[in-house]
């Protein structure tokens, strides 16, 4: 079987076989076999390629590590667990936004608390203009899932929908900015995800409680880990099915 994950990552990154061969000091034919025959490179080469593609080793070569090793490394991806999203320090949110250079991915229903930072929109606009990718996913205010969540929180069927429309009005000011893409989704939101390059805040949701009162995890991506990658892939799955907002 071919390694389609590696092939796709090379294609998305605009990286050629010769580029990889030069960085790893191997023959291009060897790199080709890593793809077409799913050969697993030596650890030093896996690290180099993973860094080139900004992907996790465990994603590109899932068979390269033992289950025990993956479990140990994945646990180390958890920087800190907070009892609620409200307990995440404002300084951490600000630092994550400031440090991100290549990717900002946000998956929420509303996310208006982010707007407490007056530098938010200028920062997102600047990151997109500098070649970064900013993807913002908000709830579809007309979706059954959003209305059900609003009812489950005991605030009325249409309360969250109204909040989403406010959020879209706010973030719509950067909808046409270079590198910025905004979509709406109608999925059941099990977790809100806030990714800044290789760090992430995950806010698992609790039935009957608003998101600010639910726990939050600060994750930092490690090459051989799976936890960060699991949430990153979840974001991508929602993104692919999401649609442009009806402004």
């Amino acid at each position: 079987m071919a390694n389609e994950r590696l092939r796709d990552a090379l294609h998305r990154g605009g990286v050629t076989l010769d580029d990889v061969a030069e960085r790893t000091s191997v023959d291009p034919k060897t790199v080709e076999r890593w793809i077409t025959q799913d050969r697993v490179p030596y650890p030093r080469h896996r690290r180099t390629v993973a860094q080139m593609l900004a992907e996790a080793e465990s994603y590109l070569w899932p068979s390269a590590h033992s289950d025990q090793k993956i479990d140990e490394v994945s646990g180390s991806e958890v920087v800190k667990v907070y009892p609620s999203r409200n307990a995440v320090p404002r300084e951490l949110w600000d630092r994550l936004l400031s440090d991100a250079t290549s990717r900002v991915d946000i998956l929420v229903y509303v996310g208006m608390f982010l707007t407490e930072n007056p530098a938010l929109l200028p920062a997102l606009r600047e990151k997109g203009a500098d070649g970064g990718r900013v993807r913002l996913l908000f709830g579809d205010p007309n979706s059954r899932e959003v209305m059900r969540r609003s009812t489950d929180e005991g605030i009325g069927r249409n309360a969250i929908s109204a909040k989403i429309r406010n959020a879209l009005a706010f973030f719509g000011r950067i909808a046409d900015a270079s590198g910025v893409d905004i979509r709406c989704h109608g999925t059941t939101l099990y977790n809100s995800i806030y990714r800044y390059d290789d760090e992430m805040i995950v806010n698992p949701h609790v039935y009957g409680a608003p998101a600010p009162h639910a726990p939050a995890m600060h994750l930092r991506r490690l090459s051989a880990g799976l936890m960060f990658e699991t949430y990153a892939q979840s974001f991508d799955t929602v993104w692919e099915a999401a649609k442009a907002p009806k402004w």
Side-chain angles (χ1 to χ4, degrees):
M1 292 180 60
N3 188 333
E4 297 298 341
R5 291 184 178 185
L6 179 57
R7 190 199 306 274
D8 182 68
L10 290 169
H11 177 73
R12 284 187 284 106
V15 178
T16 68
L17 300 183
D18 289 338
D19 293 335
V20 177
E22 182 178 354
R23 286 284 296 275
T24 55
S25 300
V26 302
D27 189 275
K29 290 292 185 182
T30 298
V31 179
E32 185 177 8
R33 286 191 288 272
W34 294 347
I35 299 171
T36 59
Q37 300 178 27
D38 198 16
R39 297 279 184 88
V40 177
Y42 290 122
R44 65 180 184 278
H45 295 152
R46 293 200 303 267
R47 287 192 294 271
T48 299
V49 176
Q51 290 171 358
M52 288 180 68
L53 302 177
E55 293 286 356
E57 283 185 48
S58 56
Y59 172 74
L60 297 173
W61 298 283
S63 64
H65 301 281
S66 68
D67 290 343
Q68 181 179 357
K69 174 67 173 179
I70 291 173
D71 289 346
E72 292 173 355
V73 175
S74 297
S76 297
E77 290 185 302
V78 181
V79 178
K80 188 168 183 177
V81 177
Y82 295 90
S84 70
R85 195 195 70 199
N86 277 340
V88 179
R90 171 52 54 188
E91 294 78 10
L92 176 57
W93 290 108
D94 292 347
R95 196 267 297 168
L96 292 175
L97 175 65
S98 176
D99 289 354
T101 58
S102 63
R103 184 192 299 262
V104 175
D105 289 340
I106 295 175
L107 168 62
V108 292
Y109 272 164
V110 184
M112 280 297 284
F113 77 97
L114 295 171
T115 67
E116 296 171 6
N117 180 357
L120 176 66
L121 292 189
L124 295 178
R125 186 186 296 274
E126 181 179 357
K127 293 177 192 304
D130 288 344
R133 187 179 189 188
V134 178
R135 298 186 294 176
L136 308 178
L137 271 170
F138 299 96
D140 177 351
N142 298 313
S143 68
R144 178 182 59 186
E145 289 76 8
V146 165
M147 295 178 186
R148 178 180 296 144
R149 176 70 187 183
S150 192
T151 300
D152 290 345
E153 289 188 10
I155 56 177
R157 187 170 184 266
N158 297 310
I160 292 182
S161 296
K163 293 179 181 180
I164 291 171
R165 292 186 177 95
N166 288 338
L168 289 173
F170 179 87
F171 285 94
R173 287 181 277 177
I174 60 170
D176 296 329
S178 175
V180 176
D181 201 352
I182 300 175
R183 296 184 186 181
C184 285
H185 68 97
T187 66
T188 299
L189 192 63
Y190 298 107
N191 306 275
S192 292
I193 297 173
Y194 309 87
R195 177 180 180 179
Y196 305 87
D197 288 350
D198 287 338
E199 293 188 72
M200 181 187 291
I201 301 291
V202 178
N203 180 201
H205 294 296
V206 177
Y207 181 83
H213 300 167
M217 299 183 293
H218 177 196
L219 306 181
R220 181 173 292 141
R221 185 183 197 175
L222 295 177
S223 187
L226 279 180
M227 184 174 291
F228 186 101
E229 195 62 37
T230 294
Y231 288 108
Q233 290 183 36
S234 176
F235 180 97
D236 288 340
T237 299
V238 178
W239 181 259
E240 292 303 319
K243 299 179 180 179
K246 295 180 180 179
W247 301 109

